[in-house]
Structures are given as C-alpha cells and as structure tokens.
Amino acid sequence: MKLDLLSKNWMDLVFEGKNKSYGAYELRKTSGNNTVRGFIIGALIFAVAIGTPKILDMIGSGTNSDDANLDKKVVTIKLPPKEKPLENIPPPPPPPPKVDQVKFVKPVVAKTNEIVEDPPKVKELVDKKIGNETIKGDPDAPATLDPPGNGPSNVVEEDPNQLFNSAGVEVKPEYPGGIAKFYQFVKNNYVAPDEPGLKGKVTVSFTVEKDGSLTDIRVLKDIGYGTGKEAERVLRKGPKWSPAEQNGKKVRCTYVIPISIETPEE
C-alpha cells in the first residue's frame, strides 16, 4: 500500500481526537490547492517581469518615431515678404547719339641709332679742363680775378654765459694754491656736528664764474646732522678761484668736490 501523506484519510488519522478547527489541519487539507495556485501566480509574475522591458521598448520606439514625425510636421519655414512692385518709375533715358570713333594707338618710344663716341686719350687731357662738351680755349685772354666778398653772413656767435663742465674744458678751475690748500682751508673752518663716531662724505657742486667767485652752491649728498649746510657755509666764506679757460677765454664752469667728515668716538 502506497503511503500518501497528503491524503485526507491519513490527515484524519493524525488529527483524530484533536481540534480540527485549528489552523494546521486546514493548512494540511488545502496544501495541494495552495501549491498549484502559488505555482500559477509565480509563473505569471515571471512572465510579466520578462516581458515588461520589451513592451516598454516597443512603446518607447513608437512614441519617439511619432514625436519625430510630429516635429517634422510642426517645423515651419518663414518665407520672405513679397516685394511690392515699384510705382511711378521714370522711363529709362534714351541711348546717346552715335558719334564717330577713332582708334587709340598707345605711343611707343622708338629706338634711335646709338652714337658711340671714342673717349679722349690721356695725352689730350694734359693741361686741360674736363667738362660736358669740348670748348677751345684762348691762351691769349687776359687773366681776371673776382673781387673778394664779405664771406658767410650766418656766423654763430658764442654765448658769453655758456656753462661748461670741468671735465670738458682745456683749463680747469682751481683753488688758490691748489686742491691741497682747499682741503686745508676746509679743515680749518669746518665745524663738525657734536655727534661722536660720525664718518662719511659730503658732496657739493658749485659754479666757478669768470671772475672766480662761487655761485649756485648745492649739496648733492650729506650724512645728516647739518653737515651739508656747514659745507655750503664754508664754501661761501672761501676766497675766489682761478676761472676755467676754453679757447684762450675765461668761461663759466661747474665743479663737484667731496668733503670727508669724521668725528672722534666717545
């Protein structure tokens, strides 16, 4: 005898004397139907899952083609406005009257026969003047001289106040007795500032006039503490210099000179 666990006789035997209204008995009783129903539902879900993408592709391609066709149908072309015919146009002018016409011939320079002339020999040029044409001289003609003229009238006169540089004059300006005497004069008259350990140079420029006096005294560089003003005071106090000379004449000349300053340390 074949054992069938799903038969109703077997389930009645198992659940004999028990509460058959309990859920387990109903589940065992309807398990076959539930299994068939579940298989059918699962097959339907699987078929839907497989077929849905293909259906969507078919729908999408159809929609895109319809949209493309719709776009092609909607596109419009703007035509240019029709030109209105011109009104009140005057008639064209009549053609000009016919006149006689002469052929224009472009002028051409024709070549002439070249004339070749032999150059003169060297012995023929002795004691003769060379020119564009041959002219026979008169050896018996009297010699004449043109009267002397006044010479050129546009002579530029030199500026008497022209200012020269000491590096470009023939004779440079000089302190009486030489440069050593100048520094000795500065040493004897310069009052250094009350600043211990001060050391440096003061550079001064000035103009030596034609009479030897000093003008336009300027301090180009100093080391502070009134050193430039003191150097200017000493130069104004000093004697006249020997002026510079150019082409044998006394001229105005600029001069630059350094003055060393040094004070003792504490």
Side-chain angles (χ1 to χ4, degrees), residues 84-103:
K84 295 182 179 180
L86 299 177
E87 299 178 355
N88 301 327
I89 300 176
K98 293 183 179 181
V99 295
D100 296 338
Q101 181 173 322
V102 180
K103 180 181 179 181

Side-chain angles (χ1 to χ4, degrees), residues 130-150:
I130 300 175
N132 295 329
E133 58 181 351
T134 301
I135 302 175
K136 190 172 182 60
D138 185 6
D140 299 329
T144 58
L145 296 175
D146 295 334
N150 296 326

Side-chain angles (χ1 to χ4, degrees), residues 57-124:
D57 291 339
M58 294 174 63
I59 295 173
S61 60
T63 304
N64 294 334
S65 60
D66 294 341
D67 293 341
N69 295 330
L70 181 60
D71 292 339
K72 292 180 181 179
K73 294 177 182 179
V74 170
V75 172
T76 58
I77 299 175
K78 186 177 181 182
L79 298 176
K82 294 183 179 180
E83 296 182 358
K84 295 182 179 180
L86 299 177
E87 299 178 355
N88 301 327
I89 300 176
K98 293 183 179 181
V99 295
D100 296 338
Q101 181 173 322
V102 180
K103 180 181 179 181
F104 175 77
V105 179
K106 184 177 181 181
V108 178
V109 179
K111 294 184 178 179
T112 59
N113 296 329
E114 295 181 357
I115 300 176
V116 179
E117 185 178 358
D118 295 334
K121 298 179 181 180
V122 176
K123 63 180 181 180
E124 296 177 356

Side-chain angles (χ1 to χ4, degrees), residues 18-213:
K18 297 181 181 179
N19 187 8
K20 293 183 179 182
S21 61
Y22 187 66
Y25 177 77
E26 291 295 331
L27 289 176
R28 292 281 186 176
K29 185 178 180 180
T30 60
S31 62
N33 296 334
N34 292 336
T35 301
V36 174
R37 190 182 297 109
F39 177 78
I40 294 172
I41 293 173
L44 292 175
I45 294 174
F46 179 77
V48 171
I50 295 299
T52 299
K54 293 184 179 181
I55 296 172
L56 293 177
D57 291 339
M58 294 174 63
I59 295 173
S61 60
T63 304
N64 294 334
S65 60
D66 294 341
D67 293 341
N69 295 330
L70 181 60
D71 292 339
K72 292 180 181 179
K73 294 177 182 179
V74 170
V75 172
T76 58
I77 299 175
K78 186 177 181 182
L79 298 176
K82 294 183 179 180
E83 296 182 358
K84 295 182 179 180
L86 299 177
E87 299 178 355
N88 301 327
I89 300 176
K98 293 183 179 181
V99 295
D100 296 338
Q101 181 173 322
V102 180
K103 180 181 179 181
F104 175 77
V105 179
K106 184 177 181 181
V108 178
V109 179
K111 294 184 178 179
T112 59
N113 296 329
E114 295 181 357
I115 300 176
V116 179
E117 185 178 358
D118 295 334
K121 298 179 181 180
V122 176
K123 63 180 181 180
E124 296 177 356
L125 299 177
V126 177
D127 299 333
K128 292 181 177 63
K129 182 180 179 181
I130 300 175
N132 295 329
E133 58 181 351
T134 301
I135 302 175
K136 190 172 182 60
D138 185 6
D140 299 329
T144 58
L145 296 175
D146 295 334
N150 296 326
S153 59
N154 56 347
V155 178
V156 179
E157 297 182 358
E158 294 183 359
D159 185 5
N161 295 322
Q162 183 178 359
L163 187 62
F164 291 82
N165 190 287
S166 60
V169 293
E170 296 174 352
V171 180
K172 295 182 179 182
E174 186 179 15
Y175 183 84
I179 194 67
K181 291 287 186 180
F182 171 77
Y183 282 115
Q184 185 63 38
F185 169 78
V186 173
K187 182 178 180 181
N188 295 335
N189 293 273
Y190 192 92
V191 179
D194 187 13
E195 183 68 22
L198 187 63
K199 185 177 181 180
K201 290 184 178 181
V202 178
T203 305
V204 185
S205 70
F206 51 86
T207 300
V208 181
E209 301 291 341
K210 295 180 181 180
D211 61 352
S213 60

